[in-house]
Amino acid sequence: MNELEEERKKYLESRKRYKKVSKIVSIVAIITLIAYLCDFPRNNEVTIIAIIVCVVSSIYIGRDHHNDKSDYEEYRKKYREVIVDGVLKEMFTDIETDYSKGIDKGTIRSTNIIHAGIGTSFSSEDYVKGKYKNVVFEVSDVHTSHSDEDGNRIIDFQGQYYIFEFNKEFKGSVRVLYNDEKKIYKKFPDYVELEDEEFNNNFTVLAKDKHLAYYILTPNFVEKIKELAYKFGGVNFLFIDNKVHIAIYNDEDLFEFNVIEKLNLEKESEKVRNNLTDIIKIIDMLDLNDKVFK
Amino acid sequence: MNSLIIVLVVIVAILFIPVIVVINKFNRMLVKIEEADSDIDVALIKRHDTLTKMLDVVKGYAKHEKDTLIEIVNVRKGMSAKEKNDAIKSLDESTEKIRLLAEAYPELRSSENYNTLQKSIADTEEHLQAARRMYNANVSAFNQYLVSFPASIIGSMKGLSKKEFLEASEEQKEDVKMDL
């Protein structure tokens, strides 16, 4: 813990230093540039000095930026080792982590429950795999965005992508999209309408095998999906390969931290625990540990 | 003369196109009902077979019990909605009788074979419920369309009548739970 706090202070000090030096270097470079532009007719000495100062400044600022980033990455890694790993061990079993990577783009793209197609920028990190009540889960942060016609960045998805072992075995796939453009899908041959009017109004179900949709989405399970979706907001589901993929759009990352604030182990652990509790809530709410059929 | 023929053709087309559209919609709905109906047949047959296997396993443990004379109703493809309802009810009763009988044999309840069959029965029940719900949803859409205008006129000309629903008990509406 002390080591982590030391690491945080070290990072903040070096960032402060980098910023200060970068400011000085930038000012020198600007003054040199102004001097060069004001010097008419230009002589060779001033030109050479201006070029050297600008090149050296650029290199220095670039190096500073790189150092700043790697120091941040180092602190981020330590934070996960000290805080996150501890909480994970306390809450789950069979844990595997790779904080530098996430669930891969190919998997997420093929599921079609979040926008991650051609032309979208995709990033995923903080991968965690584990077990709770004998249910295997995987989770990672996912960000996807695209540029509009005016070049503005539009965020398509920012939240968590979960994969849970499902409690039924099945072939085929069923997609359940919350608050999606229903009109687009209504004419699709895959469109499925269930008996629950409220569910039909708020969700879009797509499945080639309609029997499978009814098999997975039992009236009881539909109630659970509604409860989950109303609790978390933007939630989409895909049932495939005896697993359920759940994408939750909440504008948050799993293991966010504030590097400026003094580190408080209890507070930080509690924050991480709260975020990870969503895994438990999903497993419990959807009764994924109920192995009646497996 | 020519323009009169054209006008007549247009009027006939205007009258017939909606009729064709309605007839096609009826046909599509009937196909969907048939598909859902055959799903029920498959699930019922599977449930019957699993239950028969289960009864054999139970009989192996309870050779001398007279209660083992449990009859499992025969099911076949193409049964009417009423026959299906009766068969489902009868299979439910048989399942309950087998379960009660098995309760007297803790060894049986803990055997792997029995547990696998229990899970299989739970799964076939879930499939049966899914098929029933899908069938009823299709029947409901068909019946609603049949009473709407102008489909009601074309429907009665085609001799179509309302389809019967497959009823479900309150227990069947719940998700399957088994004491394993």
Side-chain angles (χ1 to χ4, degrees):
Chain A
M1 175 61 188
N2 284 341
E3 204 188 324
L4 186 64
E5 178 59 10
E6 285 307 312
E7 193 73 38
R8 188 187 72 86
K9 281 181 184 165
K10 204 177 104 190
Y11 165 68
L12 283 180
E13 274 165 25
S14 61
R15 196 171 79 160
K16 213 168 155 187
R17 198 178 61 241
Y18 291 146
K19 274 191 173 171
K20 202 186 268 178
V21 177
S22 291
K23 243 182 226 171
I24 295 166
V25 170
S26 305
I27 290 166
V28 171
I30 289 165
I31 290 169
T32 314
L33 203 66
I34 292 167
Y36 166 70
L37 292 172
C38 296
D39 180 34
F40 288 109
R42 287 180 182 117
N43 60 52
N44 285 340
E45 288 80 15
V46 175
T47 306
I48 290 165
I49 290 168
I51 290 171
I52 291 170
V53 169
C54 285
V55 168
V56 170
S57 309
S58 306
I59 293 169
Y60 192 87
I61 291 167
R63 202 200 64 174
D64 268 7
H65 180 69
H66 175 75
N67 286 347
D68 187 42
K69 207 176 162 190
S70 53
D71 283 353
Y72 178 80
E73 284 303 319
E74 194 55 39
Y75 175 71
R76 182 180 175 274
K77 198 177 151 197
K78 277 244 163 68
Y79 178 89
R80 275 146 179 74
E81 279 168 10
V82 175
I83 311 269
V84 178
D85 281 357
V87 177
L88 279 171
K89 275 178 198 154
E90 176 194 299
M91 296 173 80
F92 309 109
T93 59
D94 303 335
I95 303 152
E96 289 171 37
T97 54
D98 188 344
Y99 300 120
S100 62
K101 288 180 191 163
I103 294 169
D104 70 287
K105 188 180 180 179
T107 304
I108 291 176
R109 204 168 158 180
S110 65
T111 61
N112 231 354
I113 54 170
I114 59 174
H115 296 288
I118 297 162
T120 48
S121 135
F122 177 94
S123 70
S124 182
E125 57 184 9
D126 284 337
Y127 175 80
V128 176
K129 185 177 180 179
K131 228 181 210 186
Y132 173 75
K133 286 187 179 173
N134 253 344
V135 178
V136 177
F137 67 84
E138 293 170 74
V139 59
S140 73
D141 287 334
V142 173
H143 298 195
T144 67
S145 61
H146 72 275
S147 295
D148 68 5
E149 286 166 356
D150 303 324
N152 301 316
R153 209 79 208 141
I154 310 290
I155 294 173
D156 293 315
F157 182 84
Q158 183 170 357
Q160 282 71 55
Y161 193 95
Y162 296 92
I163 302 176
F164 293 95
E165 190 186 3
F166 197 54
N167 58 4
K168 282 179 179 174
E169 286 183 359
F170 57 90
K171 284 177 185 162
S173 66
V174 177
R175 260 192 297 160
V176 180
L177 309 172
Y178 181 48
N179 268 343
D180 222 305
E181 293 289 326
K182 285 196 83 70
K183 279 181 189 165
I184 301 172
Y185 295 110
K186 268 200 163 173
K187 294 273 174 194
F188 278 31
D190 294 1
Y191 182 77
V192 183
E193 205 148 57
L194 300 178
E195 315 94 318
D196 188 320
E197 208 174 317
E198 184 195 346
F199 184 78
N200 288 335
N201 289 337
N202 292 309
F203 295 84
T204 301
V205 180
L206 298 166
K208 278 200 171 70
D209 179 356
K210 291 189 171 41
H211 174 88
L212 180 63
Y214 277 89
Y215 173 67
I216 289 172
L217 303 170
T218 63
N220 195 16
F221 198 71
V222 160
E223 288 303 320
K224 287 170 186 168
I225 285 186
K226 283 197 288 193
E227 200 183 326
L228 192 78
Y230 299 156
K231 182 175 171 52
F232 288 105
V235 188
N236 289 338
F237 303 81
L238 172 77
F239 300 86
I240 193 166
D241 296 333
N242 304 325
K243 286 177 184 161
V244 53
H245 295 234
I246 303 176
I248 299 183
Y249 189 146
N250 54 12
D251 273 330
E252 282 173 14
D253 287 336
L254 264 181
F255 311 127
E256 273 176 340
F257 56 84
N258 187 347
V259 76
I260 310 292
E261 273 178 24
K262 190 175 184 282
L263 206 64
N264 179 325
L265 182 66
E266 271 309 301
K267 212 175 132 190
E268 290 300 317
S269 299
E270 194 53 37
K271 199 171 74 185
V272 172
R273 204 174 286 121
N274 279 342
N275 288 345
L276 289 170
T277 305
D278 287 349
I279 296 169
I280 295 173
K281 281 180 194 159
I282 293 170
I283 291 174
D284 286 341
M285 281 172 91
L286 298 182
D287 280 336
L288 296 178
N289 60 321
D290 186 353
K291 304 286 186 197
V292 171
F293 310 99
K294 279 177 112 176
Chain B
M1 186 65 185
N2 275 350
S3 52
L4 185 67
I5 292 168
I6 292 167
V7 169
L8 280 174
V9 168
V10 170
I11 290 170
V12 169
I14 288 169
L15 286 173
F16 270 89
I17 287 170
V19 174
I20 292 165
V21 169
V22 171
I23 289 173
N24 281 342
K25 192 166 179 183
F26 270 130
N27 288 342
R28 277 198 303 275
M29 286 177 143
L30 286 169
V31 168
K32 277 186 182 176
I33 291 173
E34 268 173 38
E35 281 171 0
D37 195 35
S38 82
D39 269 358
I40 294 172
D41 286 343
V42 171
L44 266 177
I45 291 167
K46 202 174 167 196
R47 192 178 178 202
H48 170 269
D49 293 349
T50 317
L51 217 52
T52 308
K53 276 184 205 161
M54 178 84 126
L55 184 60
D56 288 343
V57 171
V58 174
K59 275 178 178 172
Y61 276 82
K63 280 172 192 158
H64 308 295
E65 290 263 1
K66 61 176 174 31
D67 291 344
T68 56
L69 295 168
I70 296 167
E71 269 193 42
I72 297 174
V73 69
N74 266 325
V75 289
R76 58 181 164 77
K77 281 185 181 177
M79 288 191 295
S80 67
K82 191 190 173 302
E83 285 172 323
K84 282 192 176 85
N85 274 330
D86 292 345
I88 292 169
K89 205 176 159 195
S90 174
L91 288 174
D92 282 346
E93 283 168 8
S94 302
T95 310
E96 187 56 18
K97 279 179 190 169
I98 294 171
R99 200 182 62 77
L100 284 173
L101 188 60
E103 265 182 10
Y105 299 91
E107 287 167 51
L108 167 66
R109 280 167 59 86
S110 58
S111 81
E112 201 181 320
N113 199 3
Y114 179 80
N115 284 330
T116 310
L117 282 167
Q118 278 267 49
K119 285 177 183 179
S120 183
I121 285 178
D123 192 51
T124 50
E125 280 187 18
E126 199 80 337
H127 273 292
L128 183 60
Q129 284 179 38
R132 182 188 54 76
R133 285 168 54 222
M134 194 167 80
Y135 175 85
N136 283 346
N138 287 326
V139 166
S140 171
F142 175 83
N143 288 350
Q144 281 176 47
Y145 191 58
L146 190 64
V147 293
S148 66
F149 182 80
S152 55
I153 299 167
I154 296 156
S156 63
M157 276 161 65
K158 264 181 74 92
L160 297 173
S161 57
K162 277 189 178 181
K163 297 270 177 193
E164 215 178 315
F165 288 100
L166 275 178
E167 302 298 335
S169 64
E170 283 308 309
E171 293 81 41
Q172 283 172 335
K173 284 175 189 166
E174 295 289 318
D175 278 0
V176 176
K177 294 275 177 205
M178 287 259 170
D179 298 326
L180 298 176

